[in-house]
Amino acid sequence: MDTAEEGRIYKCLFTGSVSSLLTLPLDMLSTENLLADCLQGCFVVTCTLCAFISLVWLREQIVHGGAPIWLEHAAPPFNAAGHHQNEAPAGGNGAENVAADQPANPPAENAVVGENPDAQDDQAEEEEEDNEEEDDAGVEDAADANNGAQDDMNWNALEWDRAAEELTWERMLGLDGSLVFLEHVFWVVSLNTLFILVFAFCPYHIGHFSLVGLGFEEHVQASHFEGLITTIVGYILLAITLIICHGLATLVKFHRSRRLLGVCYIVVKVSLLVVVEIGVFPLICGWWLDICSLEMFDATLKDRELSFQSAPGTTMFLHWLVGMVYVFYFASFILLLREVLRPGVLWFLRNLNDPDFNPVQEMIHLPIYRHLRRFILSVIVFGSIVLLMLWLPIRIIKSVLPNFLPYNVMLYSDAPVSELSLELLLLQVVLPALLEQGHTRQWLKGLVRAWTVTAGYLLDLHSYLLGDQEENENSANQQVNNNQHARNNNAIPVVGEGLHAAHQAILQQGGPVGFQPYRRPLNFPLRIFLLIVFMCITLLIASLICLTLPVFAGRWLMSFWTGTAKIHELYTAACGLYVCWLTIRAVTVMVAWMPQGRRVIFQKVKEWSLMIMKTLIVAVLLAGVVPLLLGLLFELVIVAPLRVPLDQTPLFYPWQDWALGVLHAKIIAAITLMGPQWWLKTVIEQVYANGIRNIDLHYIVRKLAAPVISVLLLSLCVPYVIASGVVPLLGVTAEMQNLVHRRIYPFLLMVVVLMAILSFQVRQFKRLYEHIKNDKYLVGQRLVNYERKSGKQGSSPPPPQSSQE
């Protein structure tokens, strides 16, 4: 009921009418649309809880990471932007920082691309001087911060423990006979209502009135996302208002109001940046990918517009998902490049593996214009890569192979093989088998390394791309000797040496963190330009191969099975990709075995043949029979009773049932592994631990395949025998026989579920009974030793007793 009330309060606030507000008390007691209101209330409560946790986490980030300089001192946010610009070279991650430092480096033999430690020291001294000048302005804020920290430290753990002991599930649900749970319900409803008012109602209406005043209401309504866009506009206007109020409070020296407005601005700013980074940017990438690939599927922008008009939410979600996958794999490829290239080559990209990298701290401290510049640069880079690797290869393929495109991705509802089964099979079997293999990543890393070595020697950029380890070691040793010589000349006193001196020596010895020196050849900018051109050509060729070779191989192999019939390209692409992967894997294995001799090769082939035979048997049982039986059982229990009327005969497609059974088997296996310990979990864990190379066929068949197949066969056969063999002997009518035959599977499932629920409730009530009895009547318990010998029984202490009244 609490969630239903939240849903009705939410609808009342956003209806915008006085009548809904007046009838709110009666609506909260109504039973109409109870399920829908409960679901909406659950969503609202979940959003409230997640937002509250995010606010607490953001507070911890501000407390531990430090607030921005403009918040700690009296400078307004728009003046702090210039201060950030002055301190930007100390960051070393942005493209603008290195671009500013790069021209200052002369074309010497060894050059380091990155930040300058001396500049950092000067910057630190300037910041210290600024802090000393602004100490007087921040005395009150420092006192407030100290008081807040002191309040955080002066908490009593015993009081929290006592409160946690008093707050039990029985008291929260009212099972202990008290009415404390009504107070909890009242506070939950009140806090959620206040949260909806502050964080949803006010921004929405601010944005709504602003859009109506500017005349953009019709355009927003045509977007099919009026509520979301209006709320975001309201938050943007609220952020601008907070900046202005913060500046006014700074001018009139209202320190407490200035700090409160600054913290509110940080919350709104971080929230908007998170929406842009996680929501808007992947959505832009997804739509750009779709637009650039229209010719590959023989589609037009009109088709995408019609699909958006028919299902705007689904269309936007799918494009966001595609863009998110693209961003994820792009970031994964950049991480792989960092493992191959010299540290410092990718200076214009942020290192996600850097332990000092904290995107939330950057959102808090960096000004808005820098985030906007990064966003525009990211859109340009990602969009250019899509043009290079998708749009341009498609144009080349259409001109060179006019009959190859478009891909056949039409969905036929009357096809015996459902495309839903195809996508499930691809996502659950093919792609995990490819992506979970470490060999694929190693192959890609080896290709990148080979390309880098080739490009480095062709363009004389080997030192720039991969670095020179010997030169690095010599320069490091020479720098250590210079530091030691300088220390001896300066005659540092012994008192000053210690941990601090050791840290300073390490920092001076290592140089800039994350960068290595390199040899700079002649005509360096021209060589970098040729390197970029070579990289673009390589990416274009790789994209052409990936778009054509797997589909060619898949179409050729599937033609032996289906003939000239058109097949969904996901079938052909998945089949060709898997065959190409198996071929490359076999070639690499044979190349690795060649130096070991003919006898070792024959022995390895024998071992692998035996292992492949065992794997095929296990695959037939666990990946063939079990999913087929599971999918057929799901079809009989859930799908057929819901979709097929009693006067019609259901049709079963084994291929579709098997594909759905694969999905169900994976879900059941995952739930089993996450659940409590029982025999099935133990067996699955043992099979996973053994792996393919140490596969135990006898153990799998005896402990896993046979019990699971037996249970599934009994679940399928027993109801059928009852409906087809026992019921006709009772002399019932044909209609009753048909009813029993069609509904016996869900009926028996309901009986089993009810028995499981009853047994669980009986166990719970027994535990509750024992708990209440022990609370009321148990005085104490005593632990005694247990003696087996009869001679010591007389001298042994009495057994444990529990005195009851």
Coordinates of all heavy atoms in Angstrom, one line a residue, residues 87-135:
E87 N 45.6 26.8 -13.8 CA 46.2 25.6 -13.2 C 46.0 24.3 -14.1 O 46.4 23.2 -13.7 CB 45.5 25.3 -11.8 CG 44.1 24.9 -11.9 CD 43.5 24.6 -10.6 OE1 44.2 24.9 -9.6 OE2 42.4 24.0 -10.5
A88 N 45.5 24.5 -15.3 CA 45.3 23.4 -16.2 C 46.5 22.6 -16.6 O 46.5 21.4 -16.6 CB 44.6 23.9 -17.5
P89 N 47.7 23.3 -16.8 CA 48.9 22.5 -17.1 C 49.3 21.4 -16.1 O 50.0 20.5 -16.4 CB 50.0 23.5 -17.3 CG 49.2 24.8 -17.7 CD 48.0 24.7 -16.9
A90 N 48.9 21.6 -14.9 CA 49.2 20.6 -13.9 C 48.4 19.4 -14.0 O 48.7 18.4 -13.3 CB 49.0 21.2 -12.5
G91 N 47.3 19.4 -14.8 CA 46.5 18.2 -14.9 C 47.2 17.1 -15.8 O 47.3 16.0 -15.4
G92 N 47.6 17.5 -17.0 CA 48.4 16.6 -17.8 C 47.5 15.6 -18.5 O 48.0 14.7 -19.3
N93 N 46.1 15.6 -18.5 CA 45.3 14.6 -19.1 C 44.6 15.2 -20.3 O 44.2 14.5 -21.2 CB 44.3 14.1 -18.1 CG 44.9 13.1 -17.2 OD1 45.9 12.4 -17.5 ND2 44.4 13.0 -16.0
G94 N 44.3 16.5 -20.3 CA 43.5 17.1 -21.4 C 44.3 17.3 -22.6 O 45.6 17.5 -22.6
A95 N 43.6 17.4 -23.8 CA 44.4 17.6 -25.0 C 44.9 19.0 -25.1 O 46.0 19.2 -25.7 CB 43.4 17.4 -26.2
E96 N 44.2 19.9 -24.5 CA 44.7 21.3 -24.5 C 46.0 21.5 -23.7 O 46.8 22.3 -24.1 CB 43.6 22.3 -24.0 CG 43.3 22.2 -22.5 CD 42.4 21.0 -22.3 OE1 42.1 20.3 -23.2 OE2 42.0 20.9 -21.1
N97 N 46.2 20.7 -22.7 CA 47.4 20.9 -21.9 C 48.6 20.5 -22.7 O 49.6 21.2 -22.7 CB 47.3 20.0 -20.6 CG 46.0 20.3 -19.8 OD1 45.5 21.4 -19.9 ND2 45.6 19.4 -19.0
V98 N 48.6 19.3 -23.3 CA 49.7 18.8 -24.0 C 50.0 19.6 -25.3 O 51.1 19.8 -25.7 CB 49.6 17.3 -24.3 CG1 50.8 16.8 -25.0 CG2 49.3 16.6 -23.0
A99 N 48.9 20.1 -25.9 CA 49.0 20.9 -27.0 C 49.7 22.2 -26.7 O 50.5 22.8 -27.5 CB 47.7 21.2 -27.7
A100 N 49.5 22.7 -25.5 CA 50.2 23.9 -25.1 C 51.7 23.7 -24.7 O 52.5 24.5 -24.9 CB 49.5 24.5 -23.9
D101 N 51.9 22.4 -24.2 CA 53.3 22.1 -23.8 C 54.2 21.6 -25.0 O 55.4 21.8 -25.0 CB 53.3 21.0 -22.8 CG 52.7 21.5 -21.5 OD1 52.7 22.8 -21.3 OD2 52.3 20.7 -20.7
Q102 N 53.5 21.1 -26.0 CA 54.3 20.4 -27.1 C 55.1 21.4 -27.9 O 56.3 21.1 -28.2 CB 53.3 19.7 -28.0 CG 53.9 18.8 -29.1 CD 54.6 17.6 -28.5 OE1 54.3 17.2 -27.4 NE2 55.6 17.0 -29.2
P103 N 54.6 22.5 -28.3 CA 55.5 23.4 -29.2 C 56.7 23.9 -28.4 O 57.7 24.3 -29.0 CB 54.6 24.5 -29.6 CG 53.2 24.0 -29.4 CD 53.3 23.1 -28.3
A104 N 56.7 23.9 -27.1 CA 57.8 24.5 -26.3 C 59.0 23.5 -26.3 O 60.1 23.9 -26.0 CB 57.4 24.8 -24.9
N105 N 58.8 22.3 -26.7 CA 59.8 21.3 -26.7 C 60.6 21.4 -28.0 O 60.1 21.2 -29.1 CB 59.3 19.9 -26.6 CG 58.6 19.6 -25.3 OD1 59.0 20.2 -24.3 ND2 57.6 18.8 -25.2
P106 N 61.9 21.6 -28.0 CA 62.7 21.7 -29.2 C 62.9 20.3 -29.8 O 62.8 19.3 -29.1 CB 64.0 22.3 -28.8 CG 64.1 21.9 -27.3 CD 62.7 21.9 -26.8
P107 N 63.2 20.2 -31.1 CA 63.4 18.9 -31.7 C 64.7 18.3 -31.3 O 65.7 18.2 -32.1 CB 63.3 19.2 -33.2 CG 63.7 20.6 -33.3 CD 63.2 21.3 -32.1
A108 N 64.8 17.9 -30.0 CA 66.1 17.3 -29.5 C 66.1 15.8 -29.7 O 65.1 15.2 -30.2 CB 66.2 17.7 -28.0
E109 N 67.2 15.2 -29.2 CA 67.2 13.7 -29.4 C 66.2 13.0 -28.5 O 65.6 12.1 -28.9 CB 68.7 13.3 -29.0 CG 69.7 13.7 -30.0 CD 69.5 13.0 -31.3 OE1 69.1 11.8 -31.3 OE2 69.8 13.7 -32.4
N110 N 66.1 13.4 -27.3 CA 65.1 12.8 -26.4 C 64.1 13.9 -26.0 O 64.5 15.0 -25.5 CB 65.8 12.3 -25.1 CG 66.7 11.1 -25.4 OD1 66.4 10.4 -26.4 ND2 67.8 10.9 -24.7
A111 N 62.9 13.6 -26.1 CA 61.8 14.5 -25.7 C 60.8 13.8 -25.0 O 60.5 12.7 -25.3 CB 61.2 15.2 -27.0
V112 N 60.2 14.5 -24.0 CA 59.1 13.9 -23.2 C 57.9 14.6 -23.4 O 57.9 15.9 -23.2 CB 59.5 13.9 -21.7 CG1 58.4 13.3 -20.9 CG2 60.8 13.0 -21.5
V113 N 56.8 14.0 -23.9 CA 55.6 14.6 -24.1 C 54.8 14.5 -22.8 O 54.4 13.5 -22.3 CB 54.8 13.9 -25.2 CG1 53.5 14.6 -25.5 CG2 55.7 13.8 -26.5
G114 N 54.5 15.7 -22.2 CA 53.7 15.6 -21.0 C 53.9 16.8 -20.2 O 54.3 17.9 -20.6
E115 N 53.7 16.7 -18.9 CA 53.8 17.8 -17.9 C 55.3 17.9 -17.4 O 56.1 17.0 -17.5 CB 52.9 17.5 -16.8 CG 53.2 16.2 -16.1 CD 52.0 15.8 -15.2 OE1 51.0 16.4 -15.3 OE2 52.2 14.9 -14.4
N116 N 55.5 19.1 -16.9 CA 56.8 19.5 -16.4 C 56.8 19.5 -14.9 O 56.0 20.2 -14.3 CB 57.2 20.9 -17.0 CG 58.7 21.2 -16.8 OD1 59.4 20.4 -16.1 ND2 59.1 22.3 -17.2
P117 N 57.7 18.7 -14.2 CA 57.7 18.8 -12.8 C 58.0 20.1 -12.2 O 57.5 20.5 -11.2 CB 58.8 17.7 -12.4 CG 58.9 16.9 -13.6 CD 58.7 17.8 -14.8
D118 N 58.9 20.9 -12.9 CA 59.2 22.2 -12.4 C 58.0 23.1 -12.5 O 57.8 23.9 -11.6 CB 60.4 22.8 -13.2 CG 61.7 22.0 -13.0 OD1 61.8 21.3 -12.0 OD2 62.5 22.0 -13.9
A119 N 57.3 23.0 -13.6 CA 56.1 23.8 -13.7 C 55.1 23.4 -12.6 O 54.3 24.3 -12.1 CB 55.4 23.6 -15.1
Q120 N 55.0 22.1 -12.3 CA 54.1 21.7 -11.2 C 54.6 22.3 -9.9 O 53.7 22.8 -9.1 CB 54.1 20.2 -11.1 CG 53.4 19.5 -12.2 CD 53.3 18.0 -12.0 OE1 53.8 17.5 -11.0 NE2 52.7 17.3 -12.9
D121 N 55.9 22.4 -9.6 CA 56.3 23.0 -8.4 C 56.0 24.5 -8.3 O 55.6 25.0 -7.3 CB 57.8 22.8 -8.2 CG 58.2 21.3 -8.1 OD1 57.3 20.5 -7.7 OD2 59.3 20.9 -8.4
D122 N 56.2 25.2 -9.4 CA 55.9 26.6 -9.5 C 54.4 26.8 -9.3 O 54.0 27.7 -8.6 CB 56.3 27.2 -10.8 CG 57.8 27.1 -11.0 OD1 58.5 27.0 -10.0 OD2 58.3 27.2 -12.1
Q123 N 53.6 25.9 -9.9 CA 52.2 26.0 -9.8 C 51.8 25.8 -8.3 O 50.9 26.5 -7.8 CB 51.5 25.0 -10.7 CG 50.0 25.1 -10.7 CD 49.5 26.4 -11.4 OE1 50.2 27.0 -12.2 NE2 48.4 27.0 -10.9
A124 N 52.4 24.8 -7.7 CA 52.1 24.5 -6.3 C 52.4 25.7 -5.4 O 51.7 26.1 -4.5 CB 52.8 23.3 -5.8
E125 N 53.6 26.4 -5.7 CA 53.9 27.5 -4.9 C 52.9 28.7 -5.1 O 52.5 29.4 -4.1 CB 55.3 28.0 -5.3 CG 56.4 27.0 -4.9 CD 57.8 27.4 -5.4 OE1 57.9 28.5 -6.0 OE2 58.8 26.7 -5.1
E126 N 52.5 28.9 -6.4 CA 51.5 29.9 -6.6 C 50.2 29.6 -5.9 O 49.6 30.5 -5.3 CB 51.3 30.0 -8.1 CG 52.5 30.6 -8.9 CD 52.2 30.6 -10.4 OE1 51.1 30.2 -10.8 OE2 53.1 31.0 -11.1
E127 N 49.8 28.3 -5.9 CA 48.6 28.0 -5.2 C 48.7 28.2 -3.7 O 47.8 28.7 -3.0 CB 48.2 26.5 -5.5 CG 47.7 26.3 -6.9 CD 47.4 24.9 -7.1 OE1 47.5 24.1 -6.2 OE2 47.0 24.5 -8.3
E128 N 49.9 27.9 -3.1 CA 50.1 28.2 -1.7 C 50.0 29.7 -1.4 O 49.4 30.1 -0.4 CB 51.4 27.6 -1.3 CG 51.5 26.1 -1.3 CD 52.8 25.5 -0.9 OE1 53.7 26.4 -0.7 OE2 53.0 24.3 -0.8
E129 N 50.6 30.5 -2.3 CA 50.5 31.9 -2.1 C 49.1 32.4 -2.1 O 48.6 33.2 -1.3 CB 51.4 32.7 -3.1 CG 52.9 32.4 -2.9 CD 53.7 33.1 -4.0 OE1 53.1 33.7 -4.9 OE2 54.9 32.9 -4.0
D130 N 48.3 31.9 -3.1 CA 46.9 32.3 -3.2 C 46.1 31.9 -2.0 O 45.2 32.6 -1.5 CB 46.3 31.7 -4.5 CG 46.9 32.3 -5.8 OD1 47.5 33.4 -5.7 OD2 46.8 31.6 -6.8
N131 N 46.4 30.7 -1.5 CA 45.7 30.2 -0.3 C 46.0 31.1 0.9 O 45.2 31.3 1.7 CB 46.1 28.7 -0.1 CG 45.6 27.8 -1.1 OD1 44.6 28.1 -1.8 ND2 46.2 26.7 -1.3
E132 N 47.3 31.5 1.0 CA 47.7 32.4 2.1 C 47.0 33.7 2.0 O 46.6 34.3 3.0 CB 49.2 32.6 2.1 CG 50.0 31.3 2.5 CD 51.4 31.5 2.4 OE1 51.8 32.6 2.1 OE2 52.2 30.6 2.8
E133 N 46.8 34.2 0.8 CA 46.1 35.5 0.6 C 44.6 35.4 1.0 O 44.0 36.4 1.4 CB 46.3 36.0 -0.8 CG 47.8 36.4 -1.1 CD 47.9 36.8 -2.6 OE1 46.9 36.7 -3.3 OE2 49.0 37.1 -3.0
E134 N 44.0 34.2 0.7 CA 42.6 34.1 0.9 C 42.2 33.4 2.2 O 41.1 33.0 2.3 CB 42.0 33.3 -0.3 CG 42.2 34.1 -1.6 CD 41.7 33.2 -2.8 OE1 41.3 32.1 -2.6 OE2 41.6 33.8 -3.9
D135 N 43.2 33.3 3.1 CA 42.9 32.6 4.3 C 41.9 33.4 5.2 O 41.0 32.8 5.8 CB 44.2 32.4 5.2 CG 44.9 31.1 4.7 OD1 44.2 30.3 4.0 OD2 46.1 31.0 5.0

